[in-house]
Amino acid sequence: AAQKLPIPADGTVRRILDVGTGIGQLAMALKERFPDAEVWGIDAGGPMVRYAHLRAVERGLAVNFAQRLGEDTRFPDGFFDLVTSYIMFHEVSPEGTQAMVNEAWRVTRPGGVFYPIDFKLTNAPRRTAYGSYRSWWDHRWNNEVWSLKFRQNGLPDMIRKAGFNLNEVEPVALQNVGVLNATKPA
């Protein structure tokens, strides 16, 4: 996914933010792709960012990790060239999603790219009764409390509402994963 991440049209990638970084997999992959960039991974979970930091140190990667909220990153306006997330928005309420998208808009520089990666957005019913059951089971028993609403929460509209230009063609980053490639107007 890090290799397929689009970059701003001007080719400048100095600062990258990975929101909901978890154990820092995408943040570290982005540091490997852009070794001269300042890379930040933030997550609400303190143990997650501590473990991510440990992994980055072991791998010799200078990635910054901080325990922060996606809706209040505490970074300056227009600070990042790239803002991304990996399999995070389906874990958030629709209201929280809108707040995080608004924050991504605030911290992305003009001409910068917002690239959230998550499950494909579809309202189509599952092909089988068992598929429908598995979706419900995952929602109910696997602590995926927002996953069903995520597929219908209007994330593309939230991204447009924040002010981004949304690329209507979703590049395929990974199988069964959707990508919304958005650019902040320059």
Side-chain angles (χ1 to χ4, degrees):
Q3 293 304 315
K4 294 182 181 185
L5 181 105
I7 64 172
D10 65 10
T12 303
V13 181
R14 293 179 312 248
R15 294 187 196 101
I16 301 169
L17 175 62
D18 182 32
V19 179
T21 198
I23 60 172
Q25 291 171 292
L26 182 57
M28 285 185 266
L30 290 169
K31 183 63 175 180
E32 289 172 339
R33 180 175 172 194
F34 303 102
D36 296 329
E38 177 183 344
V39 178
W40 282 86
I42 64 168
D43 199 284
M48 301 298 270
V49 293
R50 285 191 294 278
Y51 182 66
H53 174 73
L54 174 71
R55 290 183 68 231
V57 169
E58 287 176 346
R59 293 178 60 190
L61 296 170
V63 179
N64 304 290
F65 292 101
Q67 183 179 9
R68 296 187 185 176
L69 298 174
E71 62 271 26
D72 182 21
T73 65
R74 298 182 297 189
F75 289 106
D77 293 355
F79 192 68
F80 292 99
D81 303 293
L82 301 173
V83 176
T84 189
S85 64
Y86 181 74
I87 314 293
M88 189 257 321
F89 278 111
H90 76 276
E91 303 286 0
V92 181
S93 71
E95 298 78 19
T97 297
Q98 185 67 68
M100 289 182 179
V101 169
N102 292 345
E103 181 69 356
W105 164 263
R106 189 186 69 75
V107 299
T108 302
R109 72 162 170 92
V113 172
F114 176 48
Y115 190 80
I117 303 167
D118 214 306
F119 300 126
K120 288 186 178 182
L121 298 169
T122 179
N123 291 330
R126 298 292 176 176
R127 295 178 190 209
T128 66
Y130 182 71
S132 295
Y133 164 75
R134 289 294 302 161
S135 292
W136 176 84
W137 185 94
D138 191 50
H139 161 74
R140 177 65 174 91
W141 299 107
N142 194 33
N143 205 29
E144 296 288 355
V145 296
W146 297 111
S147 64
L148 295 178
K149 285 195 177 197
F150 167 74
R151 295 182 192 277
Q152 301 169 1
N153 74 3
L155 181 58
D157 292 333
M158 290 181 192
I159 291 170
R160 284 187 201 96
K161 182 180 175 184
F164 288 103
N165 293 329
L166 187 61
N167 180 349
E168 296 300 329
V169 178
E170 291 186 21
V172 177
L174 302 168
Q175 186 178 7
N176 297 321
V177 174
V179 175
L180 296 169
N181 176 7
T183 303
K184 187 171 183 176

